Amino acid sequence: MKFFKTMVALPLIVAFFAVGCAVRQPIQQAFTPTIFNSDDYVSAIDNFLIILDASSSMDDIYNGNEKFFTAREIVKHLSQTLPELNQNAGLRSFGHSRQVSDKLTVLFYGMEKYTREGLKEKSALITVAGGTSPMHKAMTAAIEDLENFSGKTAVVIISDCQEAVGLESPITLKTARELKNQMGQEICFYPVFVGDDEEGMILMEEIAAIGKCGFVTKADKLMTGIGMGQFVEDIFLTEKPLTEKPIVEAPPPAPEAVPPPEVVKVWVVDETHFDFDKIIIKPAGFEFLDKVVNVLIARPDLFVKIQGHTDSIGTRKYNDTLSMRRAEAVKAYLADKGIDENRISCEGFGFSKPVASNKTDKGRALNRRVELFPVTK
């Protein structure tokens, strides 16, 4: 009788594990890489370092796949898309399972001349996630990785930021600043966020802001050929001019006196100058803010109050923080252009001061804004 029960139960156990294993199988998405002809482009950067999160939280499921599978696919997609243009490259991971390494962080590739096959081959060595998540350890090690390299440098951080949020957040930001101080204006951070945790996204945006020239990208975008192509073109490539004309020296034109733009009651930095739910100023906003800078330089008696506003999507706490951080991003831009910070103050009002209805797309767009009020003291 016991033998009969065992024979009946055994297929059920096998079936249970088979179903469990089937659930964990990754969902393979079709990926057709964007082709960039190396004859048509030059590299916009001299060096890049990928920092890959292989910690235990990356085992969690996001959009039907383990986050670690998504992260490693992004590295693979990058190697399929980015042409070899004499860049220096590296791949460092952190928080791995002991099946991969008993070290907290490992430089699996580089720093060396980038090859597509080299990056793909070395990333395949990071097979599973499963350890702790000391992102700051990887950032500290990156300081040594890059200490002998100069020129424009991109640091791509692929992570869900789960374990780094909280007590480790200040030290993570501290090490990012140390890396920025080492490389100066030449380094930019380009975090790739895997997941949907709000606090993790905020930390990623703070890291990008430290570089003053990078931006955060959602991992979902880079799982498509078009999305990865845009990412590569925005960060890594510069198009060659179509024709090379001989340089003919001409006498410099006579300087013309260009009056600064008039002082208005309020300058509005609207949603066209920020991506939705982001604090990084888009290039479209540079020309607008440069006009504000011209006014403040021409009128040293002027001070400016910067007020950030949002639409009503999201919690009050989140929008209050987002509005203040956008105002501070504008302040940082003005200060970088030479405007004394003592002439600038910031406030964040969240969605408490709408200028239009939050019930329509158009109204919400008008409410997502930063206002600059010139005042005299």
Side-chain angles (χ1 to χ4, degrees):
M1 186 69 176
K2 289 182 179 179
F3 174 77
F4 176 74
K5 289 181 179 179
T6 302
M7 292 299 292
V8 171
L10 184 59
L12 294 177
I13 294 172
V14 171
F16 174 79
F17 279 104
V19 171
C21 291
V23 172
R24 300 290 287 182
Q25 290 300 313
I27 300 173
Q28 297 286 349
Q29 297 180 346
F31 180 80
T32 303
T34 301
I35 303 301
F36 295 101
N37 191 326
S38 57
D39 293 332
D40 298 331
Y41 292 87
V42 295
S43 181
I45 60 166
D46 301 290
N47 323 291
F48 69 92
L49 174 65
I50 301 170
I51 297 178
L52 178 66
D53 188 347
S55 63
S56 57
S57 64
M58 295 291 283
D59 267 338
D60 296 341
I61 301 298
Y62 172 69
N63 282 352
N65 280 321
E66 291 180 4
K67 288 186 279 189
F68 176 71
F69 170 80
T70 298
R72 205 173 68 164
E73 282 294 288
I74 288 171
V75 178
K76 178 182 174 183
H77 294 171
L78 179 62
S79 70
Q80 292 173 307
T81 307
L82 179 62
E84 299 170 6
L85 296 171
N86 208 37
Q87 318 95 316
N88 300 305
L91 170 65
R92 174 174 288 280
S93 61
F94 67 92
H96 1 68
S97 164
R98 290 185 177 274
Q99 298 176 48
V100 176
S101 174
D102 58 359
K103 296 180 180 178
L104 293 178
T105 179
V106 176
L107 185 67
F108 276 91
Y109 176 62
M111 294 288 294
E112 60 188 64
K113 290 298 178 187
Y114 162 68
T115 65
R116 288 174 161 177
E117 193 57 36
L119 178 59
K120 178 182 176 182
E121 177 185 338
K122 296 301 182 181
S123 65
L125 298 177
I126 313 169
T127 52
V128 292
T132 57
S133 182
M135 184 186 289
H136 64 279
K137 294 286 188 182
M139 298 282 277
T140 299
I143 296 175
E144 296 184 10
D145 297 337
L146 297 170
E147 64 180 350
N148 295 321
F149 293 86
S150 60
K152 292 191 176 297
T153 301
V155 176
V156 179
I157 305 167
I158 309 174
S159 174
D160 62 357
C161 267
Q162 288 291 297
E163 306 272 343
V165 174
L167 294 177
E168 289 192 0
S169 179
I171 193 170
T172 299
L173 296 176
K174 178 176 179 290
T175 50
R177 292 190 190 97
E178 289 173 355
L179 186 52
K180 176 67 176 178
N181 291 337
Q182 173 181 289
M183 303 291 292
Q185 297 300 317
E186 300 295 324
I187 193 169
C188 300
F189 296 107
Y190 299 97
V192 176
F193 184 56
V194 188
D196 50 16
D197 180 75
E198 187 175 289
E199 291 186 10
M201 185 64 169
I202 290 175
L203 178 57
M204 285 296 215
E205 289 182 339
E206 288 175 339
I207 292 172
I210 287 172
K212 297 183 179 180
C213 51
F215 52 82
V216 180
T217 303
K218 290 279 287 183
D220 313 59
K221 176 181 178 181
L222 305 187
M223 297 298 282
T224 68
I226 294 175
M228 177 58 77
Q230 188 64 58
F231 181 77
V232 166
E233 192 165 14
D234 288 345
I235 299 172
F236 296 91
L237 302 178
T238 298
E239 224 173 331
K240 287 182 180 179
L242 294 178
T243 57
E244 296 185 4
K245 297 181 180 179
I247 299 174
V248 179
E249 293 188 5
E256 295 181 5
V258 179
E262 63 176 323
V263 179
V264 297
K265 291 183 179 180
V266 59
W267 292 289
V268 179
V269 184
D270 59 27
E271 67 162 359
T272 63
H273 301 125
F274 292 91
D275 279 326
F276 176 74
D277 202 34
K278 301 292 187 297
I279 66 168
I280 304 298
I281 301 169
K282 295 167 65 176
F286 297 166
E287 182 177 353
F288 178 87
L289 289 175
D290 286 344
K291 292 180 181 179
V292 176
V293 169
N294 290 340
V295 173
L296 296 177
I297 290 174
R299 291 286 304 276
D301 59 316
L302 286 180
F303 292 70
V304 63
K305 292 183 178 180
I306 304 177
Q307 298 181 353
H309 304 271
T310 69
D311 61 25
S312 61
I313 297 175
T315 65
R316 180 179 296 276
K317 178 181 177 182
Y318 179 76
N319 279 290
D320 286 347
T321 300
L322 177 62
S323 64
M324 185 63 178
R325 291 170 68 231
R326 276 190 169 176
E328 289 173 344
V330 173
K331 176 181 178 179
Y333 185 92
L334 299 182
D336 283 346
K337 293 292 184 176
I339 305 303
D340 188 344
E341 291 189 7
N342 293 323
R343 297 172 63 189
I344 311 170
S345 62
C346 288
E347 296 176 281
F349 290 95
F351 50 69
S352 63
K353 291 188 175 184
V355 294
S357 171
N358 276 305
K359 295 182 179 180
T360 66
D361 290 342
K362 182 177 180 181
R364 288 191 293 271
L366 292 172
N367 290 332
R368 296 192 289 267
R369 69 200 189 278
V370 174
E371 297 175 338
L372 294 86
F373 295 88
V375 296
T376 57
K377 290 188 179 181

